[in-house]
Amino acid sequence: MVNFGKRLMQDQVQEWKEYYINYKLMKKRVKLYVQQTQVDGKDHQQVLKEFSRILDEQIEKIVLFMLEQQGLLAIRLEKLGEVHGILLEQRDISRTYELQEAYRAVGHDLVKLLKFVDLNATGIRKILKKFDKRFGYKFTNYYVSTRSNHPYSQLQGIFKHVAIGAVVGALSRNLALLQDHQGSQLSIYDQPSVILKDPVIDLINASVDKLTHSTSFLHFLGQHALIVQEDIPCATDDHDDDQRYHFMSLLLNLANTFLYMVNTYIVVPTADDYSLSLGAAATVCGVIIGSMAVAQVFSSVYFSAWSNKSYFKPLIFSSIMLLLGNLLYALAYDLSSIAVLIIGRLLCGLGSARAVNRRYISDCVPLKLRMKASAGFVSASALGMACGPALAGLLQIKFKIYYLTFNKNTLPGWVMAVAWLIYLIWLWISFKEPVHDFEENHFPQDSGVVEQSEHGIVQPLLISEAKDDEEGERDYDESEEASVKCHEPASSISSAYRLLTPSVKVQLLIYFMLKYAMEILLAESSVITTFYFSWPTSSVAIFLAVLGLTVLPVNAIVGSYLTNIFEDR
């Protein structure tokens, strides 16, 4: 991906270069303000006032030039209109063609102007986002909301295209008259179903649509909207996603998810019997089942950090840990050790690669397939949750080979150990390691203190002069900064927590309470049903399997129907 600073230099019209936003200057100002406030103790309000004034001047320069160019286009259209009026009486075919070409030339100049506005609007958006991230202050909301509706603000000229619409309308009408009717008196307004075929109008409409998308964030922020639209994905982004996408690797990630959920819940119907056979209380089954989830809390951190470098190695490690954990779980019966049993479950929890599975989908699956892949992840989890207890209900046999006992308590461990061994071989043969972003664009980290807040990572406070120059030359845009930051692993659970926004914290709290209630029901289901209803293991297994299957229709209704009607909130 070409960074914005370079793209600005490449795409700008050379004779207009003095009228574009001075993106490099604005970036240097942001760095200077960060240093002044953090090191020199400069007042924040003074910084906001100065930066607002500089940005106002940049926007005023852009808007005044845009109005000047619109005026020139309007004058050209007025002169062509006079020629057009004379031509309607003469019906000269050769002069009609010349007039069409003149109108098309105006259209191409309008496209050039639209690209000018779009490029500057992108620069404004990126510098505002950069200020928020570096300064640690939601300046964008304040700046746009105070200027979007003010009668004297030049910012409105960036996203209200009334004059541009008038030019497009004049071009469309006159080209329609010349092209379709060769100077007749019919009007495009008399035949609204007739679509103009001239390519220059299609080009203008495409440019207007792109500009509307690029600047709509200003309109939304001006109305205090909660969600800001991101950049339009470009063809190169889609191509990169396609290059990284590998169907078999995605299937292996989903299989990992499915097997892990089976592994989690396959012990639920028999955990109380296993506890009793080892001399512990039946309620210890809650510890046996929950120990896997406790270990997963810690494993999610190191797996998240590991996935910055590889997806293949974490999955290999996960499979080995789960293989060993299930072997210990199965051997605990013959060793008569409740400690070995719990250690085995802890090893299974340390092998949880669900963070890797989720990240693989978000990083390596193309956008057009990402929703399906995410639905597949949820469905694989739900199926695993249902198949685990159902499989335990089928393992109601007992036999012995040498000193190893195979019964309803140990067979879940043996079966899952074999399953993870087969998966490990399949993974080794078929998984394709995708190219990571850091391998394509490796950016050295700045030295200094990195502050973190609920608003995200704030850039280092003390940056050396040499690295300032280097960064100025590279001129990273905001999307690249976000890409780098997303690959910076949290060093601890507390640092990961500080990266969460309030909205995400609320979602996690809801998810915690949901899981808390569900795990209480599942963990003690065998004890409760045996005590009150005298259910055998097979009945408990069927009950839990049906309970797990109910997730699928609910997921289908919420994911495919309700989300298309209501907003996420």
Side-chain angles (χ1 to χ4, degrees):
M1 180 187 295
V2 179
N3 63 64
F4 179 72
K6 291 182 179 178
R7 183 159 70 91
L8 180 62
M9 297 297 294
Q10 293 172 359
D11 295 351
Q12 68 183 7
V13 181
Q14 287 303 310
E15 57 266 28
W16 295 354
K17 62 181 181 180
E18 60 183 294
Y19 301 105
Y20 286 87
I21 183 174
N22 195 334
Y23 187 70
K24 192 171 183 179
L25 170 66
M26 300 296 288
K27 283 183 60 178
K28 289 182 177 180
R29 286 285 185 176
V30 171
K31 295 176 189 176
L32 177 63
Y33 288 143
V34 169
Q35 184 177 6
Q36 287 178 344
T37 54
Q38 301 296 338
V39 180
D40 301 334
K42 187 171 182 177
D43 182 61
H44 284 211
Q45 293 299 322
Q46 183 65 27
V47 168
L48 295 177
K49 182 179 179 180
E50 290 181 9
F51 189 75
S52 298
R53 178 182 57 79
I54 295 172
L55 192 54
D56 287 338
E57 292 174 353
Q58 292 287 318
I59 293 174
E60 183 177 88
K61 173 184 68 176
I62 296 166
V63 172
L64 291 179
F65 178 75
M66 180 182 69
L67 293 174
E68 178 186 350
Q69 293 300 311
Q70 288 176 358
L72 294 175
L73 291 176
I75 292 172
R76 289 169 62 184
L77 285 174
E78 184 181 3
K79 292 180 179 179
L80 291 175
E82 295 174 357
V83 177
H84 193 180
I86 299 173
L87 190 60
L88 287 176
E89 300 176 357
Q90 297 178 352
R91 296 185 179 275
D92 189 333
I93 300 300
S94 61
R95 293 192 63 189
T96 299
Y97 177 77
E98 292 176 359
L99 188 58
Q100 283 178 323
E101 291 302 310
Y103 275 121
R104 291 186 183 117
V106 175
H108 286 294
D109 287 341
L110 177 59
V111 170
K112 186 166 68 173
L113 181 61
L114 290 171
K115 290 181 179 178
F116 167 84
V117 179
D118 176 59
L119 203 55
N120 282 289
T122 303
I124 294 169
R125 181 174 70 253
K126 289 185 179 296
I127 203 64
L128 285 169
K129 290 171 66 179
K130 187 179 293 292
F131 187 92
D132 287 350
K133 288 183 178 291
R134 293 288 182 88
F135 198 72
Y137 181 81
K138 291 297 182 182
F139 173 74
T140 301
N141 291 352
Y142 157 75
Y143 184 82
V144 177
S145 61
T146 55
R147 284 155 174 78
S148 59
N149 295 315
H150 196 281
Y152 302 139
S153 173
Q154 301 287 0
L155 189 62
Q156 296 186 63
I158 299 293
F159 66 95
K160 292 186 178 179
H161 319 304
V162 177
I164 290 177
V167 176
V168 175
L171 279 172
S172 301
R173 183 181 65 83
N174 286 286
L175 281 172
L177 290 172
L178 291 171
Q179 179 177 321
D180 294 338
H181 306 291
Q182 295 298 321
S184 71
Q185 297 300 318
L186 292 176
S187 169
I188 59 173
Y189 305 110
D190 298 327
Q191 295 179 318
S193 61
V194 176
I195 301 175
L196 186 63
K197 304 297 183 182
D198 199 295
V200 72
I201 300 300
D202 292 335
L203 186 60
I204 291 172
N205 289 333
S207 299
V208 170
D209 290 342
K210 186 175 186 302
L211 177 59
T212 301
H213 184 97
S214 297
T215 58
S216 60
F217 90 107
L218 298 173
H219 179 67
F220 288 138
L221 280 178
Q223 296 177 335
H224 303 281
L226 296 173
I227 300 174
V228 180
Q229 296 189 29
E230 296 296 330
D231 292 343
I232 302 174
C234 61
T236 54
D237 295 337
D238 294 338
H239 177 69
D240 290 341
D241 285 340
D242 290 338
Q243 290 290 99
R244 302 175 70 189
Y245 173 63
H246 183 237
F247 174 75
M248 186 58 68
S249 300
L250 174 61
L251 190 61
L252 282 162
N253 269 275
L254 296 178
N256 183 282
T257 300
F258 171 76
L259 286 177
Y260 183 80
M261 294 302 290
V262 171
N263 208 149
T264 301
Y265 294 103
I266 193 173
V267 304
V268 172
T270 58
D272 57 332
D273 288 337
Y274 208 163
S275 300
L276 289 171
S277 66
L278 296 178
T283 50
V284 175
C285 68
V287 178
I288 296 172
I289 297 170
S291 58
M292 193 168 174
V294 171
Q296 185 180 345
V297 172
F298 300 95
S299 67
S300 61
V301 176
Y302 67 75
F303 271 119
S304 296
W306 203 350
S307 64
N308 288 295
K309 298 180 180 179
S310 173
Y311 295 101
F312 178 65
K313 292 179 181 178
L315 291 175
I316 290 289
F317 177 78
S318 166
S319 303
I320 293 174
M321 293 294 289
L322 284 154
L323 174 61
L324 295 175
N326 283 288
L327 286 175
L328 289 178
Y329 183 87
L331 292 171
Y333 187 87
D334 294 306
L335 295 174
S336 298
S337 173
I338 191 72
V340 173
L341 180 68
I342 294 176
I343 290 173
R345 290 290 288 180
L346 287 172
L347 287 178
C348 290
L350 291 176
S352 170
R354 287 170 65 80
V356 180
N357 303 145
R358 288 190 184 96
R359 179 163 182 178
Y360 183 87
I361 292 174
S362 63
D363 286 357
C364 304
V365 176
L367 189 62
K368 58 187 177 183
L369 300 175
R370 198 167 297 163
M371 182 60 72
K372 292 183 179 179
S374 298
F377 176 84
V378 176
S379 299
S381 300
L383 284 174
M385 180 180 172
C387 290
L391 185 58
L394 298 176
L395 300 176
Q396 302 298 306
I397 54 178
K398 183 177 182 179
F399 60 94
K400 201 163 187 177
I401 300 178
Y402 295 105
Y403 299 104
L404 299 178
T405 302
F406 297 86
N407 57 26
K408 65 178 183 180
N409 296 326
T410 62
L411 276 172
W414 291 117
V415 169
M416 291 311 303
V418 172
W420 284 112
L421 179 61
I422 296 172
Y423 175 80
L424 184 60
I425 297 171
W426 181 25
L427 180 71
W428 188 272
I429 295 173
S430 303
F431 190 86
K432 179 181 177 182
E433 180 73 81
V435 178
H436 282 248
D437 288 339
F438 81 96
E439 294 174 359
E440 298 172 346
N441 297 308
H442 180 69
F443 304 112
Q445 294 182 356
D446 292 327
S447 60
V449 181
V450 179
E451 288 192 351
Q452 296 171 337
S453 67
E454 289 185 354
H455 304 300
I457 299 179
V458 181
Q459 288 294 321
L461 304 181
L462 300 178
I463 306 175
S464 64
E465 184 178 353
K467 291 190 177 181
D468 274 351
D469 295 339
E470 183 178 319
E471 186 179 356
E473 292 174 0
R474 291 179 177 176
D475 213 16
Y476 303 142
D477 68 0
E478 201 62 44
S479 62
E480 290 172 319
E481 289 178 4
S483 176
V484 174
K485 287 168 186 168
C486 74
H487 290 289
E488 293 178 358
S491 57
S492 65
I493 296 177
S494 60
S495 63
Y497 179 78
R498 287 197 297 270
L499 293 176
L500 303 178
T501 64
S503 300
V504 175
K505 290 178 182 177
V506 172
Q507 291 291 324
L508 290 178
L509 177 60
I510 295 172
Y511 183 72
F512 170 79
M513 295 305 299
L514 174 67
K515 293 291 288 183
Y516 180 70
M518 185 181 73
E519 293 298 333
I520 289 176
L521 170 65
L522 295 176
E524 301 301 327
S525 58
S526 58
V527 178
I528 298 299
T529 53
T530 300
F531 182 81
Y532 285 104
F533 312 120
S534 300
W535 281 7
T537 301
S538 58
S539 298
V540 177
I542 293 172
F543 167 69
L544 294 176
V546 172
L547 193 64
L549 288 175
T550 58
V551 176
L552 293 177
V554 173
N555 178 55
I557 293 172
V558 173
S560 303
Y561 178 69
L562 293 181
T563 53
N564 294 325
I565 301 176
F566 304 104
E567 294 182 358
D568 289 346
R569 287 170 61 87

